[in-house]
Amino acid sequence: MRDLMKALYELESQLEETYGMTLNEAMVMCSVGGETISAGDIISRTGMTSSHVSKVIRSAEDKGFLSRRLGEHDKRQMFFVLTRKGKNRLERLKEQGINVPEWLVPLFEGRE
């Protein structure tokens, strides 16, 4: 368990230092991608709780990575989309990648 937590901490530290985002923000941004999606979709795609997703969305918005939009048909619905800054940061992450700690490498093999 200690090795797992250490590897995750190393991965997150690298993400923050290199790209200015946390691991959870990266997961949310990847789940949004080029789409406009609801918080419920983000929850389904990330497996995070609704309260956790809410905090991560707020943090990503504060950093300028995400913006929210009202639903076109139902103004009570809220949808999220990557900002230009968010798209650029996510594209940079995909192009340049990140050094995955050795302990986590098997989890990343065969994934894009």
Side-chain angles (χ1 to χ4, degrees), residues 56-69:
V56 176
I57 286 172
R58 173 69 64 201
S59 177
E61 283 180 307
D62 290 346
K63 291 179 180 180
F65 297 146
L66 279 180
S67 65
R68 56 180 73 214
R69 298 191 176 151

Side-chain angles (χ1 to χ4, degrees), residues 6-109:
K6 192 174 170 183
L8 288 171
Y9 175 77
E10 184 181 329
L11 180 64
E12 182 157 51
S13 293
Q14 199 178 143
L15 275 169
E16 288 189 74
E17 187 176 306
T18 307
Y19 301 105
M21 67 178 79
T22 66
L23 182 57
N24 287 327
E25 289 166 349
M27 286 176 31
V28 166
M29 291 170 63
C30 286
S31 73
V32 173
E35 299 177 76
T36 300
I37 65 173
S38 69
D41 292 331
I42 294 171
I43 290 165
S44 296
R45 292 177 183 186
T46 63
M48 293 182 207
T49 65
S50 59
S51 62
H52 195 186
V53 164
S54 179
K55 290 174 190 173
V56 176
I57 286 172
R58 173 69 64 201
S59 177
E61 283 180 307
D62 290 346
K63 291 179 180 180
F65 297 146
L66 279 180
S67 65
R68 56 180 73 214
R69 298 191 176 151
L70 293 175
E72 291 180 23
H73 303 291
D74 184 347
K75 300 298 182 195
R76 296 171 296 177
Q77 284 189 310
M78 194 64 62
F79 292 93
F80 300 90
V81 64
L82 290 178
T83 62
R84 179 174 292 150
K85 180 179 179 180
K87 288 177 185 175
N88 290 340
R89 194 67 52 99
L90 188 58
E91 191 60 37
R92 198 170 119 218
L93 173 61
K94 287 179 179 179
E95 287 174 1
Q96 296 176 0
I98 194 158
N99 292 324
V100 177
E102 190 175 325
W103 213 84
L104 299 174
V105 168
L107 299 174
F108 285 82
E109 289 176 347

